[in-house]
Amino acid sequence: MTLNSLMRTVSAGALLAATILVSAPGAHAQASGGNGGWFVPKAAHPDAPPPRPVQRRVPEAAPDEEEDSAPAEQQQAPPILPLPPIPAPPSIAKASPPPAAVIGVINVQAVMQISSAWQEIQQVLGARRDRLAQAVQREEAAWRGEQQKLQAQARSLTSDQIQLRERHLQERRAKDQHDFGNQARIIQEAAQVAMHQIERELEEPNGIIAAVAAAHNMNLILHAEQVVLHVGGQDITEEVGTQLNKTLPHVFIPDDGVDPEQLARSGKMPTTADEQRQAQGPQTPGPQQAPASAPSESVLRQHH
C-alpha cells in the first residue's frame, strides 16, 4: 500500500533538527577551535517520541572473497618504486644571526573571556540560534502531527489521495530543510563577520598583540598551551584583553535575518575579497608571476 512509503519516513522525523542545523556550512568557523562552526544552532529535542520505525530485514553483506583469498604478504608489502637522483644543495654563505629572542606568552581563550565584544557575540547570536532551534521543534511537531493524521485517515482515503498527501508532506520536509538550513547559514556567517573584527584588531601587523609586544620589547609571542614554563612578566594575556576592550568594546553584527552574503554584494562596506586582494599586494602580469599564497589561519580559529 502506498502508505508504507510514508511510514518509511517516520524514523527520519526526529532527525529533522540535526539534519537542518548540520547542513549549514561552517565554520570555521568557524569554529572556535575546531570551531570553524562557533555558532551552529543547538540541536532540537522534540518532546513527543517519534513513531516506531518499520522493521525491515536487511540482508547481510557477503564477504569479499577476493580480499580474503589474497595472501597477507601481498596486501602488506609496500611497492618498489623508482628512485630518481636529486641534485645536492649548494653551499650558502653565512649571514648575520637574528636578534636574541625576547619571548611573550598569550592565552587566546582567556583574552576572549575578557573581551566584551566576544561576550556580545555570544549573547546576540546565541539568542538567535535558540530561536531557530525552537522554530525547528515547532515545525517538527506540526509535521509529525500531519503524518499521524494521515495514518489515522488512511483507511478512508483512496490510493491517489494518500499519494497526494504523501507528496505534500515530502515537499514540506524538503522546504523545511532548505529554509532552516539557510537560516542556520546566516547565523553562522554573521558570527564569522563579527569574529573577524576581533581577529583583525588583535592580529594585524599594527594590531593590539603587536603593540603590546612592542611595548615590552618582545619579538616572539607563543601560545600559552605550547609553553611548559614561563614567568609572570612574560604573560601578556590580561594586558591584551584590556587593550581590546578599550579599542573594540563592540562589534558590528548583521541584523537578524540579514544575509551577510547579500550585504557583501550590496557594496555598503569592504568585503573579505577586498582584504585578500590587499594581502596579495599589487599584481604584475606575466608568465613568471608566482601564485599568491593563501592567508594563514587565524590564531583565534586555531585555538577555539
Side-chain angles (χ1 to χ4, degrees), residues 283-292:
Q283 301 295 315
T284 56
Q288 302 298 327
Q289 179 181 350

Side-chain angles (χ1 to χ4, degrees), residues 99-104 209-221 233-234 236 239:
V102 181
I103 300 174
I209 293 178
V212 172
H216 296 280
N217 293 322
M218 295 175 177
N219 55 18
L220 180 63
I221 305 298
Q234 293 174 318
I236 62 173
E239 188 173 354

Side-chain angles (χ1 to χ4, degrees), residues 26-72:
H28 286 306
Q30 32 116 328
S32 315
N35 297 344
W38 289 319
F39 296 96
V40 176
K42 299 175 182 177
H45 300 283
D47 297 332
R52 182 178 301 173
V54 177
Q55 298 294 332
R56 293 190 183 88
R57 296 181 59 188
V58 181
E60 296 183 356
D64 193 338
E65 297 180 357
E66 295 182 358
E67 292 185 0
D68 293 344
S69 61

Side-chain angles (χ1 to χ4, degrees), residues 66-199:
E66 295 182 358
E67 292 185 0
D68 293 344
S69 61
E73 294 80 3
Q74 294 182 3
Q75 295 180 6
Q76 298 178 359
I80 299 176
L81 302 176
L83 189 66
I86 59 173
S91 59
I92 301 176
K94 288 187 176 295
S96 57
V102 181
I103 300 174
V105 175
I106 186 171
N107 186 322
V108 177
Q109 294 181 353
V111 171
M112 292 300 98
Q113 296 299 323
I114 298 172
S115 170
S116 59
W118 170 259
Q119 295 169 10
E120 179 184 23
I121 294 172
Q122 296 279 51
Q123 180 179 2
V124 173
L125 296 180
R128 292 183 190 178
R129 69 171 181 259
D130 287 343
R131 289 194 295 270
L132 177 57
Q134 293 169 3
V136 170
Q137 289 182 355
R138 289 192 299 269
E139 176 58 20
E140 173 68 13
W143 190 91
R144 188 183 299 109
E146 291 296 324
Q147 192 180 53
Q148 293 173 351
K149 184 186 302 184
L150 176 56
Q151 295 172 15
Q153 299 174 352
R155 293 184 179 180
S156 61
L157 299 175
T158 65
S159 176
D160 291 341
Q161 289 174 328
I162 292 176
Q163 289 181 355
L164 179 62
R165 291 179 62 175
E166 274 186 354
R167 185 166 65 251
H168 288 167
L169 283 175
Q170 292 169 358
E171 291 172 353
R172 179 173 178 175
R173 171 56 56 90
K175 183 177 183 300
D176 289 342
Q177 291 177 339
H178 176 271
D179 293 346
F180 288 134
N182 190 56
Q183 294 177 43
R185 175 190 61 81
I186 289 175
I187 294 175
Q188 175 71 17
E189 292 181 354
Q192 294 174 0
V193 171
M195 188 62 192
H196 193 46
Q197 296 167 66
I198 300 179
E199 294 173 354

